Amino acid sequence: MPKSMVEKLLSRRSMLSGAAAIAAVPAFSAAENHSSHDPQGTPAEGSRPASTAGTSGTTAHTDVTSHAGHAGFAGGAVPPDRAGIDPTAILHDFDRGKTSTLPDGRTLREWDIVAVDKDFEIAPGVTFPGWCYNGRIPGPTLWAREGDVLRIHFTNAGSHPHTMHFHGVHRAEMDGTPGIGAGSIGPGQSFTYEFDATPFGTHLYHCHQSPLAPHIAKGLYGGFIIEPKQGRPAADDEMVMVMNGYNTDGGDDNEFYSVNGLPFHFMDNPVQVKQNALVRIHLINVLEYDPINSFHVHGNFFHYYPTGTMLTPSEFTDTISQVQGQRGIVEIRFPYPGKYMFHAHKTEFAELGWMGFFEVNP
């Protein structure tokens, strides 16, 4: 194996060698400067000392290679109130916007989205200087119904130019691409994106400012769900899972991986579901610096709907793969109670944060 590849693997895998190594990992330091305060000038959340890890009900231990149902970091995953990210709340937080009725009878949905610079403690002692929408990673999950008119009032309160690019069908002027329409939205500037909600499915939005990879990887992305006009069969539980990674050393790879923004969170805080209930998961991959991601569940199979644009599934399986920007719907029923692990079927990703549990209750 080439020496450069060995060094790269050692760098990534050093995250697993214990709390001391994790605490020593430097925060991402891009060539561009960033602010550690929110738009109101208050200190950003996140930069708490590593010694406080393991509070709020997490179980502390020192053997990071023996998870035993808990997070792989000494002291457990960072508690949401300290991290500045709550992956469990994000599961069910579908933002339907402010609605009104247009003269032609169609529904108008409006959102206010603000890009900000904000620090997040993503692992014990590791502060990530993020760029994000509305102060969270991932950004709000925008929900609409097919045929609605959408207006997204975007304000850039960050320190660099940003955009919002939506996956879907719309006019070029609304594409959120530099040099087209409004193009780049500079610090302190605003723009309103307006288009119709089509096609139905599970989509995403993200910043499309160059250089593209860091603008996405630093946190500027979110889910974008368009419900079919006639609806889908009712699910007992519907949630969104956004798969992401964190490049903390400014290199060309990730040192941490997660679902809904916080590594190992769902090990300490299993996803609660009911036995035999229909669980619908909008699964979205926004991972940068790695060409592919995956989703695997233990002890169960699920139906998968690629991109969510069809009402019939493509397969019945326990593992699917998604490339960057790919997404789909997972529908699953758990016939037996208990705890079932879910994770990337890439061992390295799982060991660096992308794993959790479903806890099935009778």
Side-chain angles (χ1 to χ4, degrees):
M1 183 179 292
K3 181 180 178 181
S4 60
M5 185 174 295
V6 173
E7 290 172 345
K8 181 175 179 178
L9 289 173
L10 288 174
S11 174
R12 289 159 69 106
R13 294 183 185 277
S14 69
M15 298 300 99
L16 304 174
S17 61
I22 292 169
V25 176
F28 180 88
S29 55
E32 300 170 303
N33 296 323
H34 5 271
S35 168
S36 61
H37 292 70
D38 66 20
Q40 284 72 42
T42 56
E45 299 175 52
S47 54
R48 305 287 185 88
S51 61
T52 59
T55 58
S56 301
T58 58
T59 301
H61 57 85
T62 56
D63 182 2
V64 297
T65 62
S66 178
H67 305 301
H70 296 282
F73 303 133
V78 180
D81 59 347
R82 198 175 94 205
I85 303 172
D86 188 346
T88 297
I90 290 171
L91 283 175
H92 299 102
D93 188 8
F94 293 87
D95 189 339
R96 288 166 165 76
K98 178 182 177 182
T99 61
S100 58
T101 303
L102 294 170
D104 62 4
R106 289 189 298 168
T107 296
L108 170 66
R109 294 183 187 272
E110 299 183 80
W111 294 269
D112 292 312
I113 303 293
V114 182
V116 297
D117 301 351
K118 183 177 178 180
D119 289 352
F120 299 92
E121 187 180 357
I122 60 168
V126 181
T127 299
F128 182 78
W131 300 341
C132 56
Y133 295 118
N134 284 13
R136 50 176 265 188
I137 297 177
T141 300
L142 307 185
W143 185 99
R145 189 173 296 279
E146 182 183 16
D148 290 349
V149 177
L150 312 182
R151 287 180 189 159
I152 301 93
H153 306 289
F154 173 60
T155 298
N156 184 1
S159 54
H160 307 280
H162 296 306
T163 76
M164 292 187 73
H165 165 70
F166 291 83
H167 286 227
V169 178
H170 46 248
R171 292 177 291 125
E173 292 81 3
M174 296 295 150
D175 199 45
T177 304
I180 301 176
S184 301
I185 310 302
Q189 296 181 337
S190 298
F191 179 73
T192 296
Y193 298 95
E194 180 171 343
F195 50 90
D196 295 345
T198 185
F200 72 78
T202 298
H203 308 306
L204 70 154
Y205 63 90
H206 58 82
C207 182
H208 215 291
Q209 181 66 41
S210 297
L212 187 55
H215 275 259
I216 296 175
K218 284 178 68 63
L220 288 164
Y221 47 77
F224 175 40
I225 311 302
I226 300 179
E227 180 81 356
K229 189 172 295 186
Q230 70 275 27
R232 297 183 187 273
D236 299 294
D237 195 355
E238 189 159 359
M239 61 187 72
V240 62
M241 291 187 177
V242 178
M243 303 186 293
N244 73 317
Y246 291 104
N247 179 339
T248 59
D249 63 5
D252 61 355
D253 59 9
N254 297 296
E255 285 67 53
F256 299 94
Y257 298 85
S258 73
V259 166
N260 288 359
L262 199 55
F264 289 119
H265 171 85
F266 292 115
M267 294 291 285
D268 283 338
N269 306 273
V271 179
Q272 301 296 312
V273 296
K274 288 290 188 179
Q275 183 180 5
N276 294 315
L278 176 60
V279 179
R280 177 176 296 143
I281 302 168
H282 297 272
L283 183 70
I284 303 168
N285 180 32
V286 292
L287 182 64
E288 284 290 331
Y289 303 114
D290 287 285
I292 196 166
N293 207 339
S294 56
F295 175 94
H296 168 63
V297 64
H298 286 206
N300 293 272
F301 268 52
F302 54 82
H303 286 104
Y304 185 62
Y305 302 74
T307 318
T309 50
M310 303 292 288
L311 298 178
T312 54
S314 64
E315 59 181 317
F316 187 55
T317 183
D318 63 357
T319 307
I320 59 98
S321 296
Q322 293 181 340
V323 299
Q324 294 163 330
Q326 201 166 12
R327 63 275 185 196
I329 292 175
V330 168
E331 289 191 346
I332 185 170
R333 295 180 188 269
F334 295 89
Y336 305 111
K339 289 174 70 174
Y340 298 93
M341 184 174 280
F342 66 99
H343 57 85
H345 215 291
K346 165 73 171 170
T347 304
E348 188 175 7
F349 292 8
E351 291 177 342
L352 293 173
W354 182 168
M355 62 164 62
F357 281 105
F358 290 106
E359 186 164 12
V360 182
N361 304 294

